[in-house]
Amino acid sequence: MADVMMRLGTLKFGLRRAAYQELSRNSEWRWARQERIGTNDALQYTGIGADNVTLQGVVFPTFTGSVKNIDRMRTLATAALPLPLIDGLGKIWGLWVITSIGERQSVFAARGAPLRQEFDLSLTRFDAGLGGLRALLSF
């Protein structure tokens, strides 16, 4: 599996399947603001905020992958379960949920089969806390 760039649950991203060209990540930390008279606002750290990843990629069904790759992403999203995210270097990113999928098709063959499919896959890190984790494990 040397061509696997990243894996989300059973979904593999790689050069011979749905390859992403760009990975962007946005992490937040929450700070509550309290206004004060005559000086700067006071800030209090309230915890870790959202952690989001967006994968932008392309599938060329004739050469690599399948016209069903993006449909597989939608099937995983519909299952509404947190999925492990592991990159090709073996780094475990934790559990993530699919929050949105965008798709663009271009260059069409006979009967409207797309020869190029671009996708945007948005993920958010899942943190159920201890109680949520117990509920997830008992599912």
Side-chain angles (χ1 to χ4, degrees):
M1 297 289 189
D3 71 331
V4 175
M5 301 164 66
M6 188 166 283
R7 186 178 191 136
L8 176 66
T10 59
L11 183 65
K12 297 175 189 172
F13 298 92
L15 302 178
R16 296 186 183 152
R17 44 185 64 85
Y20 58 87
Q21 276 71 54
E22 185 174 317
L23 182 153
S24 58
R25 185 174 186 181
N26 183 40
S27 304
E28 299 174 1
W29 292 264
R30 294 188 313 263
W31 290 85
R33 183 176 303 272
Q34 177 64 46
E35 294 182 4
R36 299 186 295 179
I37 298 173
T39 188
N40 295 335
D41 292 347
L43 297 175
Q44 180 179 4
Y45 180 67
T46 60
I48 297 172
D51 197 0
N52 300 300
V53 167
T54 300
L55 301 175
Q56 295 178 325
V58 65
V59 177
F60 296 100
T62 304
F63 303 107
T64 61
S66 161
V67 293
K68 297 182 181 194
N69 277 325
I70 298 173
D71 289 338
R72 286 187 191 113
M73 293 177 199
R74 287 191 171 94
T75 299
L76 279 177
T78 301
L81 292 172
L83 302 166
L85 184 65
I86 304 168
D87 67 26
L89 300 174
K91 177 183 173 188
I92 299 171
W93 290 47
L95 294 175
W96 295 73
V97 295
I98 299 172
T99 55
S100 72
I101 300 169
E103 177 182 2
R104 292 166 304 287
Q105 297 181 358
S106 60
V107 189
F108 296 93
R111 291 179 272 176
L115 299 178
R116 179 183 174 94
Q117 294 175 292
E118 296 177 51
F119 66 87
D120 300 312
L121 177 66
S122 296
L123 307 170
T124 298
R125 187 176 178 95
F126 177 81
D127 181 6
L130 188 55
L133 185 57
R134 283 189 190 125
L136 181 64
L137 293 174
S138 67
F139 192 105

